[in-house]
Amino acid sequence: MTDSTDTAQAIKDGAQDLAHKAQEQVTGAAEDAAESARQTAVQQADTYADAVHDAEQNFDPNSLQAEALRQVSSTIEGFTSQLRDKPVDEMLDDAAVFARRNPLLVLTGAAVLGFAAARFMKASPRRSSTRRGDDPWAGHLYAGPVGEHNSKDAS
């Protein structure tokens, strides 16, 4: 009976070790992807800050426009600094705390992003494989069946 118990324990230990190694690999891959995304975001933010700073140079230094652009540039640079200095896991913790403190704001933001994505998808060009007969709204442009034009269009 001890042989079967020992074998079962060995299988259990092996499965746990395999699961732990798989978890480490997935975690490592996720951390690498997050770090890469963070570096890309830092580069993009630096580019935007530089563009705003360049736009500021086009205005009189004492103008309202120049002051507004300085504030925007400063905000972007502060955000970039935080991105550069904070580890990804700490940023995720901060985002979770923010979401817990401001659930309505987070839900509103998610809804706005959803609507924007829907508008973007609706506005993007359709694939050529889509037939007019498959689109329920296509019939309002043509009086006849698919492929036939209205007699007004023929002239």
Side-chain angles (χ1 to χ4, degrees), residues 11 35 48 59 67 104 131:
I11 291 172
E35 183 61 31
Y48 294 146
F59 294 99
E67 180 60 31
L104 185 60
R131 297 179 306 168

Side-chain angles (χ1 to χ4, degrees), residues 8-153:
Q9 186 62 37
I11 291 172
K12 180 181 174 185
D13 292 343
Q16 286 177 340
D17 186 45
L18 185 61
H20 182 70
K21 286 180 182 177
Q23 181 183 9
E24 286 178 351
Q25 287 180 344
V26 168
T27 301
E31 287 173 353
D32 290 346
E35 183 61 31
S36 175
R38 180 173 73 134
Q39 291 300 325
T40 301
V42 166
Q43 290 172 352
Q44 285 283 353
D46 282 339
T47 301
Y48 294 146
D50 290 343
V52 170
H53 183 69
D54 290 345
E56 175 192 339
Q57 302 304 315
N58 294 327
F59 294 99
D60 176 33
N62 298 324
S63 70
L64 183 62
Q65 294 88 348
E67 180 60 31
L69 290 171
R70 271 193 293 278
Q71 288 180 359
V72 168
S73 178
S74 175
T75 301
I76 292 172
E77 289 168 353
F79 174 73
T80 304
S81 175
Q82 284 185 345
L83 274 178
R84 209 178 267 121
D85 298 339
K86 276 192 176 182
V88 174
D89 57 342
E90 193 174 322
M91 286 190 287
L92 289 174
D93 290 342
D94 290 348
V97 168
F98 178 81
R100 276 189 229 109
R101 289 183 181 163
N102 304 294
L104 185 60
L105 183 62
V106 172
L107 289 174
T108 303
V112 168
L113 286 175
F115 288 130
R119 293 288 299 180
F120 176 75
M121 295 300 289
K122 187 176 180 181
S124 39
R126 300 191 187 271
R127 288 183 267 144
S128 60
S129 64
T130 303
R131 297 179 306 168
R132 240 183 293 140
D134 294 340
D135 187 357
W137 296 103
H140 76 283
L141 297 175
Y142 300 101
V146 175
E148 292 183 14
H149 294 288
N150 193 342
S151 61
K152 292 178 186 176
D153 295 337

